[in-house]
Amino acid sequence: MTTPAGLLLTPGAGASRDSSTLVTVEHTLADADPPVPVRRVDFPYRLEGRRMPDRAPVAVAHLRAEAAAWANELGVGTDRLLLGGRSYGGRMCSMAVAEGLPAAGLVLLSYPLHPPGRPEKLRVEHFGQIGVPTLFVSGDKDPFGTPEELAEHVAAIPGPVTTVTLSGAHDMRGTAREQAVAQAVATWIASLRA
């Protein structure tokens, strides 16, 4: 397995690139051996000061451009980058990869399997096109998808899948939870290099 050259990290719909979970992941990976560069990016709606998240085609196009630009800076192809994020951000990254954006893997934090209370509205139609190593880190009381629901649906992903279930809900806020999320990401990335 090729060592990932970096992680492109995106926020959930109600947050920015400076959300504390993403910052904690970046700091943890900076201390890894070897360090893993992280670039945190916002989506166009956030950059333009709008509240409504971008529709998938806009978000995916933005991710393609951001991944290409950063891969170019690092002197690698996007196939050497890990892509991921929290909730909406992770979902958009997974859709970009399913639609053909080359990547080394996906880091999906609090993946929004379905809207709260609406398990019939699944957001998994693209899972069968994800062939890269994928990490899911979720809370055991996440209203966007229970650990059991997640296990059922990630079975459709042909690439290798790792799921980590932590104590907590969807937001995973708080220093200890954020550090646990970041440590799960660091451990998984280390396993890719083993």
Side-chain angles (χ1 to χ4, degrees), residues 110-123:
S110 299
Y111 186 87
L113 205 59
H114 56 69
R118 302 184 67 193
E120 74 285 356
K121 291 276 192 192
L122 288 166
R123 297 162 171 158

Side-chain angles (χ1 to χ4, degrees), residues 27-188:
H27 290 164
T28 299
L29 294 179
D31 292 337
D33 184 23
V36 179
V38 173
R39 174 165 288 179
R40 294 175 284 112
V41 298
D42 278 319
F43 287 101
Y45 76 95
R46 173 72 58 173
L47 296 170
E48 295 164 9
R50 292 183 285 114
R51 293 179 70 93
M52 275 302 290
D54 299 304
R55 293 204 174 275
V58 173
V60 167
H62 181 70
L63 286 168
R64 283 182 171 279
E66 289 284 351
W70 196 37
N72 187 53
E73 278 181 43
L74 294 172
V76 298
T78 63
D79 62 330
R80 291 280 311 281
L81 295 181
L82 297 167
L83 305 177
R86 249 192 50 71
S87 195
Y88 166 86
R91 179 173 168 239
M92 293 301 110
C93 288
S94 70
M95 291 174 74
V97 168
E99 291 174 18
L101 176 60
L106 285 166
V107 174
L108 307 178
L109 311 176
S110 299
Y111 186 87
L113 205 59
H114 56 69
R118 302 184 67 193
E120 74 285 356
K121 291 276 192 192
L122 288 166
R123 297 162 171 158
V124 299
E125 59 286 338
H126 61 292
F127 276 14
Q129 283 73 54
I130 297 175
V132 300
T134 302
L135 170 68
F136 288 87
V137 182
S138 301
D140 59 356
K141 295 175 181 60
D142 192 334
F144 287 80
T146 66
E148 295 76 23
E149 288 172 322
L150 191 61
E152 176 187 345
H153 294 290
V154 301
I157 295 175
V161 173
T162 302
T163 56
V164 176
T165 303
L166 301 173
S167 171
H170 189 68
D171 64 12
M172 302 299 279
R173 283 203 187 101
T175 303
R177 283 199 183 102
E178 290 169 355
Q179 287 173 342
V181 169
Q183 193 53 57
V185 174
T187 299
W188 179 74

Side-chain angles (χ1 to χ4, degrees), residues 8-19:
L8 186 74
L9 207 48
T10 58
S16 78
R17 65 183 290 280
D18 296 322
S19 81

